[in-house]
Every structure is written in structure tokens, then in C-alpha cells.
Amino acid sequence: MRNVFLFGARTLVIVSVLIIVQLGLLSVFLEKTFECVSSNRTIKSLSSETEERAAGDIPDWDKTLNFTGFNNETGTADGHYIIPNYVHFLKFQYATFNFIHMICVLAAFKHQRPEKLFIHTDVPEFYGKYWEVLINTPGFKEVLVIKKMDLPKEVFGQLLNPAWAGFHGGDVARLIVMRKYGGIYVDNDSYLIRNMDDLRRYEMVVAYIPGKPMMNQVVLAHKDARLLKEWQDGYKDYRSDAWYYNAGQQPGRVLRERPYLVHTVPDLLGTYDIRKLIYLERWRYWRTYYSCHLMVRWVRKYRYIRYPNPIEEKDVLKYDNTLVDMIQDVYDIRRLKR
């Protein structure tokens, strides 16, 4: 009887120990499980917060924006930028830069200080004296972005006029680029005189005077700007026999009816003809402008001053005019005296 009692007591002790051990293991398991669940919740929470912060860090120029009701008179309420600090040039068919084109690229780089300076081109590689000047300018290579792009030959299934292939193709390319990236489009003979950041708070900025064509040599826009789409859609009625209809007259007609689609800078973009002030005078107030269309192809109007076409580096110091001052502002004049 005593042996039975001892056996039962021993068994009870063993069972009790096993139960205690199992309870301990269960407690540890539950604790670890709780920690894992809590950890997962924390990770998910942090991940969510990180995603929200990341989404909040996306600048407005990278977002898809609906500009319905946007006030282009005042721009963004707090003045923040919605147009990216990207400068765009088009360079089709030619692998070298002439003197004036180099000067205009230098002016855009030095005066605007863009985050990115795009050259959209169909040539495999640039070379030559003035390309070397550009890429050896401190800081230029760090912002340079070369994008391969074919010169458009048609638009909405309509062949572009082959006689104006480079010009009409460039007009179409301008809209493709601006609707993809947004930023500041600059013609190859347009000179940025000063920084344009105060214009980057608007949906779109152009030179436009009611009753005249819209000028397209310098254009600032968010990629979703309403006029960009309407301007591009206007090419569904492509006028192959009209030099400037789709590029300037058609968007000008849109603005005549709905001027609120853009912020207009009628004079200070310098895209209406100011050749006289550039080539025939020493104009004191040129620095008050944002930019200037040099219209180098049309300088032959002033044949009596014997301006060469194209304008070469060796010719610049022969003249006493505003162009000399503009060149000296971005290019080492000592090079010209050699």
C-alpha cells in the first residue's frame, strides 16, 4: 500500500512538473507570438507612414494635376513651384553647335541654373569646338541629359510639309517633350537673360498679345497644362501650307477665347520682334527682360550693317550693340580678342 502511495505521489509530481514546463513554454510562445504580431503591425505602420511621406515628397511637376479652375493670374496660393526647373533644347540633324546656339545654351545654364538641361536629338554624338566649350563649363555635365528623339515627320497621320520639315517637325517635337516632362522650352536662338523661377508657380507661361499669334520660342509649362493638350490637338487640322498657323496662330485663337489658360508675359519674354534693340542699339534695359529671341535667321533684314548669317565668333566685336553685351555676359570676351 505504501509503495502504491509513493508511486502515485511520484507520478503526480512528474505530471505537475510537466504541466508547469508546458505552461512556461506556452507562455514564452505566446509572448514571442505577441511580439511578432506587434512587430509586424509596427513595420506595416512605419511602411505606411514612409509611403505617405514618399508620396508627399513627390513634387507637383511629377504629379498628374487637374488645372480646372486654376488661377493663372496669381499662380499657386503659397507661391510654390509646379513647373520643373528643366530646360529643353531640340537639336536635330546636326552634330555640331554654331556660335549663337552655344551662347544660348550657356545663357540658359548660367542664368536659369536648371536641375536638368535636356538636349533632345537624333544624332548619335555631338562634337566640335563649341560642344567642347559647353561640356568643359564647370557644372554643365552634371545637369546635362541627352535624350534620343527622332525628328517627327507626321502628326496625327498627316505628313509634315517636307519643305519645312525641320521647322514643323520641331514644332511637333516641342509639344511631345513638354507634355512628357514640362519645364522651360527654349528655341536654339533664344537667350535666357535672367532666372525665371518666379514664373514657375503658374500652369503655363507664354508671350501673347490679344489679336496676335501666340509666340512659342520660350514656353514654360506643367506637363498637364490645359493649353498644351489643346495646342497639340490643333494639329488634327494641320495646315501644311501655313508657316506659323499650328505653331502660333491656332493656340493664339484658343487664348483669345480663354486667356485664363495661361499666364501671359507679353513683352518680357522678348519673343515679339525686338531685333532693332539687339542689333542696332546699345540697349540699356535688356537685363529687365526674362529672355530674348535673337531671330538670327532674320538678321539679313539689316544687310546694310553687313551682319553675317550665321553670326560667327570672329565677327562679334566688329559691332557696337546689345548682342555684344549679351555674349560677354556668359562667354569669356578674351577668347573673342584672340
Side-chain angles (χ1 to χ4, degrees):
M1 185 71 180
R2 184 171 178 272
N3 291 337
V4 173
F5 175 79
L6 290 174
F7 176 79
R10 191 179 297 116
T11 302
L12 181 61
V13 170
I14 293 171
V15 170
S16 298
V17 170
L18 289 173
I19 291 173
I20 291 171
V21 170
Q22 288 177 346
L23 287 173
L25 291 173
L26 179 61
S27 175
V28 171
F29 174 78
L30 291 174
E31 183 179 352
K32 293 297 183 183
T33 302
F34 178 78
E35 288 177 358
C36 289
V37 171
S38 298
S39 177
N40 286 339
R41 286 176 179 168
T42 302
I43 290 170
K44 289 179 181 177
S45 177
L46 289 174
S47 176
S48 177
E49 290 173 5
T50 301
E51 289 172 0
E52 289 176 4
R53 284 198 300 272
D57 288 342
I58 297 174
D60 278 349
W61 52 81
D62 283 337
K63 297 176 183 176
T64 298
L65 298 183
N66 183 343
F67 283 101
T68 301
F70 184 81
N71 188 335
N72 274 304
E73 289 295 318
T74 60
T76 55
D78 60 357
H80 77 275
Y81 301 143
I82 55 177
I83 294 176
N85 193 16
Y86 303 159
V87 170
H88 300 278
F89 287 95
L90 303 177
K91 181 70 173 168
F92 295 119
Q93 300 176 328
Y94 298 100
T96 60
F97 286 69
N98 65 37
F99 177 63
I100 290 298
H101 190 188
M102 179 273 292
I103 289 295
C104 289
V105 174
L106 265 186
F109 169 68
K110 291 187 174 183
H111 293 155
Q112 182 57 35
R113 289 295 172 185
E115 178 184 342
K116 297 178 182 179
L117 190 150
F118 288 84
I119 300 178
H120 305 271
T121 183
D122 58 356
V123 301
E125 187 176 6
F126 297 122
Y127 61 88
K129 173 183 176 180
Y130 295 126
W131 177 244
E132 292 298 319
V133 170
L134 290 172
I135 62 172
N136 288 309
T137 298
F140 184 81
K141 286 190 289 187
E142 286 71 19
V143 301
L144 176 65
V145 179
I146 297 177
K147 286 288 185 181
K148 297 302 179 185
M149 182 182 193
D150 291 330
L151 177 67
K153 296 180 179 178
E154 62 176 38
V155 60
F156 292 113
Q158 306 160 94
L159 289 177
L160 299 179
N161 184 338
W164 295 332
F167 301 105
H168 283 191
D171 292 336
V172 173
R174 175 197 295 113
L175 287 166
I176 293 171
V177 166
M178 291 296 281
R179 292 202 68 195
K180 181 175 182 178
Y181 299 101
I184 305 168
Y185 168 81
V186 185
D187 255 6
N188 291 343
D189 61 346
S190 289
Y191 180 106
L192 297 194
I193 295 171
R194 59 187 173 99
N195 187 279
M196 294 183 166
D197 281 353
D198 59 328
L199 299 178
R200 292 174 52 211
R201 67 183 188 272
Y202 301 103
E203 172 187 357
M204 185 167 177
V205 181
V206 297
Y208 171 67
I209 296 174
K212 293 187 176 182
M214 186 195 82
M215 305 306 284
N216 64 21
Q217 293 79 17
V218 177
V219 176
L220 298 85
H222 186 280
K223 61 184 177 62
D224 298 321
R226 291 166 289 180
L227 183 63
L228 283 181
K229 183 179 187 305
E230 294 214 25
W231 186 1
Q232 189 175 49
D233 285 346
Y235 276 86
K236 293 175 182 177
D237 177 25
Y238 170 57
R239 308 283 180 90
S240 62
D241 59 342
W243 167 265
Y244 203 60
Y245 174 78
N246 294 97
Q249 291 173 314
Q250 181 269 333
R253 291 179 180 179
V254 173
L255 291 180
R256 185 170 56 194
E257 300 296 325
R258 286 173 290 159
Y260 56 82
L261 293 178
V262 301
H263 181 80
T264 58
V265 182
D267 297 319
L268 296 184
L269 289 181
T271 51
Y272 289 100
D273 190 355
I274 57 173
R275 281 174 293 178
K276 181 179 178 181
L277 296 173
I278 300 301
Y279 296 106
L280 301 185
E281 299 181 15
R282 209 79 187 235
W283 182 29
R284 293 175 53 193
Y285 302 107
W286 66 275
R287 293 181 189 274
T288 64
Y289 275 53
Y290 285 106
S291 59
C292 170
H293 183 208
L294 297 177
M295 301 183 72
V296 292
R297 288 189 300 276
W298 309 106
V299 175
R300 57 181 174 269
K301 174 180 178 180
Y302 304 123
R303 290 186 183 279
Y304 61 89
I305 65 171
R306 298 182 179 179
Y307 240 117
N309 189 14
I311 298 169
E312 299 289 349
E313 178 176 352
K314 61 183 175 59
D315 301 309
V316 171
L317 289 179
K318 297 177 183 177
Y319 303 98
D320 180 24
N321 59 20
T322 309
L323 181 64
V324 175
D325 294 333
M326 297 172 76
I327 291 171
Q328 289 187 80
D329 197 46
V330 297
Y331 189 68
D332 186 359
I333 196 66
R334 290 171 297 180
R335 297 173 64 102
L336 301 181
K337 293 180 179 179
R338 290 172 189 167

